[in-house]
Amino acid sequence: MEDCDLAIRLDPSHSAAYLHRAMLKKDHYEDLPGAQSDLSSAIEMDASNAQAIHDRGLVKAALGNNQGAMEDFQRAISLDPYMLSAQQNLGTAKLKDQDLAGALQVYNQVLADRPDDQGVEEQALTNRGLIRMNYQHDYAAAEADFNLALKLNPANTRALDARGILRAAHQHNLDGAMLDFNASLRLRPSNPDTLVNRGTLYRTLGKHSNALDDFNAAIALEPHQPAIYNSRALVKEQLGDYKGAEHDFTLAVQSEDNPFWYSNRGFLRLTYLHDHFGALHDYQRALHIDPHVLCVD
């Protein structure tokens, strides 16, 4: 960093020094505003530097400026139409902006260009598969994308997790889903999302003790995710730990006014704790939040 500072003091038009200092600020000092400022200075000196514009887009995305990030990725692509990382990141930004058609178009273009960068290709396949699964409900096409991504990189945990969800939720292939979640956790044992997915699958299979272990581990990693407390409460209820389940439901609703979770606690209180007043309160609260929803989940 000191060398970059000195180079810039000696020659304020030294664009390479700004670029190098920007990467240091971004990657080692977590100074994203400073990195953006240095990248902007470098771009002012060389407006045709597609890589600098792309990198500024990444910084803008990290700062929450999704629109600004998309503008930079598009500008980088206009300068270098074969910059596949810019296309990939533009697709991710469009997806974040709920522009599903635009994101899908970008990923299709990345794949049509048959990139030399295998990492870009596998991520484009994974992201396109997620769109096909979650928004288009084309499960066969989604699975094909995940399979291709995993053929390129068997250690792609995003693709493993996504395929596991698809198999469990949409194909009733519970054994296949378990294989995917187990493989993902061997690669990333401390991934709370995968632990939740596997815990949910264990619960579906009636393996409540295994599910409890996964939810406990997930909560240890992500203690501020109320949905996990609701899931653990449902497992504790099945295991006969009714007070423990009530406590977890309470932690969940204290963090988020979710009518399903109030309904779950109401069912527990009515059925197992014989707390009719508490159950009535929970059902009334659930109806107040959403008059059309009153069920147990």
Side-chain angles (χ1 to χ4, degrees):
M1 178 73 84
E2 292 178 358
D3 289 343
C4 293
D5 292 340
L6 177 60
I8 291 169
R9 282 199 299 271
L10 294 173
D11 181 4
S13 64
H14 196 323
S15 62
Y18 281 102
L19 291 173
H20 188 60
R21 189 172 71 175
M23 293 302 100
L24 288 173
K25 288 179 177 180
K26 172 180 174 289
D27 297 331
H28 298 286
Y29 294 93
E30 298 182 355
D31 178 10
L32 295 178
Q36 180 176 327
S37 176
D38 279 351
L39 286 165
S40 294
S41 296
I43 293 165
E44 286 178 8
M45 298 171 201
D46 182 4
S48 64
N49 189 330
Q51 187 63 53
I53 295 167
H54 166 269
D55 291 344
R56 187 177 66 179
L58 290 176
V59 172
K60 287 180 178 179
L63 287 168
N65 181 5
N66 200 53
Q67 184 61 42
M70 286 193 288
E71 291 170 359
D72 275 350
F73 296 143
Q74 288 169 330
R75 183 177 169 189
I77 293 167
S78 70
L79 292 166
D80 182 359
Y82 297 102
M83 182 180 281
L84 296 170
S85 58
Q87 294 179 18
Q88 164 76 1
N89 288 315
L90 176 60
T92 301
K94 284 181 177 290
L95 189 58
K96 188 174 182 180
D97 205 42
Q98 298 299 309
D99 181 4
L100 305 180
L104 194 59
Q105 182 180 9
V106 169
Y107 296 137
N108 285 337
Q109 187 62 54
V110 170
L111 295 167
D113 290 340
R114 301 188 64 81
D116 295 328
D117 188 336
Q118 182 173 300
V120 170
E121 185 177 4
E122 68 171 92
Q123 291 305 319
L125 283 164
T126 303
N127 289 335
R128 188 176 71 177
L130 287 166
I131 292 175
R132 287 174 162 175
M133 177 175 70
N134 294 328
Y135 302 101
Q136 295 184 320
H137 310 297
D138 187 347
Y139 304 124
E143 184 178 32
D145 278 347
F146 299 144
N147 288 342
L148 286 171
L150 289 165
K151 185 176 180 180
L152 290 170
N153 178 15
N156 182 337
T157 56
R158 289 182 66 235
L160 283 168
D161 289 340
R163 190 175 68 178
I165 292 170
L166 185 149
R167 287 174 165 177
H170 305 295
Q171 296 180 336
H172 307 293
N173 179 4
L174 303 186
D175 290 338
M178 186 63 73
L179 288 172
D180 282 341
F181 294 145
N182 285 339
S184 181
L185 285 167
R186 281 194 296 271
L187 294 162
R188 292 184 62 196
S190 297
N191 186 334
D193 293 332
T194 313
L195 286 164
V196 170
N197 290 334
R198 190 176 68 175
T200 302
L201 181 55
Y202 273 134
R203 178 182 160 227
T204 300
L205 293 168
K207 298 182 178 181
H208 301 298
S209 294
N210 298 93
L212 182 62
D213 289 341
D214 277 352
F215 292 139
N216 284 339
I219 287 171
L221 294 164
E222 286 284 352
H224 304 297
Q225 294 294 327
I228 310 177
Y229 289 97
N230 176 74
S231 296
R232 188 173 69 174
L234 292 169
V235 169
K236 286 182 176 180
E237 182 179 308
Q238 290 295 319
L239 291 169
D241 180 8
Y242 303 131
K243 281 296 185 181
E246 183 183 36
H247 178 68
D248 276 351
F249 284 137
T250 299
L251 290 174
V253 297
Q254 283 176 344
S255 297
E256 180 179 324
D257 258 353
N258 186 304
F260 293 104
W261 302 346
Y262 276 108
S263 181
N264 288 342
R265 190 175 67 177
F267 178 84
L268 172 80
R269 285 174 164 174
L270 180 65
T271 306
Y272 298 109
L273 298 176
H274 309 295
D275 177 5
H276 296 85
F277 181 79
L280 178 63
H281 170 271
D282 282 341
Y283 287 136
Q284 288 175 331
R285 183 61 188 160
L287 285 168
H288 176 75
I289 298 168
D290 186 347
H292 304 289
V293 176
L294 185 58
C295 62
V296 177
D297 181 19

